[in-house]
Amino acid sequence: MNQIAVIFFSAILINNFVLIRFLGICPFLGISQKIETAIGMSLAVIFVMTVASLATWIVQTYLLLPYDLVYLRTIVFILVIAVLVQFVEMVIQKSSPTLYQALGVYLPLITTNCAVLGVTILNLNEAYSLIEALVHGFAAAVGFGLAIVVFAGIRERLELAEIPEALQGFPIALIIAGLLSISFFGFQGLL
């Protein structure tokens, strides 16, 4: 149980996929203008990363390894992730059309989000059991969500601040992302 707690807190704070491992930067910068869209993207990524961790672990363990097809791992994992994203996209489109419109092109881009593929490959490289892989996938997605929601909150507050013209928009967003990343480095000695 101690190992599960270490994996959980490590994936959220110490090895945050966006701010420490620098995976999933595209949606992090693209969707983080409003908290509502950041939360919607976070929930979609949490679902996709958790289910992708489960599905890819099963595919690797019961299909790729027994039949010596490990060299197909990346292609198969991308296909599994694409199917999951299509499912999430259909659900969001039916249940919340406004969120679907707000997420725009970034929702289908979860398929190519390197954080989702990264968590599935890290689960296998670390030789996690099924439960550990599920916890790692879920916690990594929660860490992604934490980073994007905090970043969106800061960006909303920056709309009210007087920022020099040269730093308005994307430059100040990159500066804030760098400062957030530095702040998460403070968790390195936690576990």
Side-chain angles (χ1 to χ4, degrees), residues 30-72:
I31 294 294
S32 59
Q33 286 91 4
K34 301 286 180 207
I35 290 179
E36 295 82 25
T37 56
I39 290 171
M41 177 60 94
S42 299
L43 295 174
V45 169
I46 286 171
F47 177 78
V48 170
M49 284 178 92
T50 305
V51 176
S53 294
L54 170 68
T56 56
W57 189 91
I58 291 170
V59 166
Q60 173 80 6
T61 305
Y62 296 110
L63 182 67
L64 299 180
L65 284 176
Y67 296 107
D68 199 26
L69 298 171
V70 178
Y71 60 91
L72 294 173

Side-chain angles (χ1 to χ4, degrees), residues 12-23 25 28-29 143 146-148 150-151 154 172-189:
I12 294 174
L13 299 173
I14 298 167
N15 294 316
N16 185 286
F17 268 61
V18 177
L19 300 173
I20 303 299
R21 294 185 189 256
F22 303 114
L23 296 171
I25 298 294
F28 175 71
L29 293 173
L146 173 68
I148 197 171
V150 167
F151 190 56
I154 293 170
I172 195 70
L174 290 176
I175 291 169
I176 297 303
L179 292 172
L180 266 176
S181 181
I182 289 170
S183 69
F184 269 67
F185 271 112
F187 294 115
Q188 291 296 313

Side-chain angles (χ1 to χ4, degrees), residues 88-117:
V88 168
E89 189 173 2
M90 288 186 304
V91 168
I92 290 176
Q93 188 176 15
K94 295 290 183 196
S95 65
S96 179
T98 55
L99 178 60
Y100 180 78
Q101 290 287 348
L103 293 176
V105 71
Y106 292 98
L107 186 58
L109 285 178
I110 294 176
T111 303
T112 58
N113 185 343
C114 55
V116 179
L117 182 61

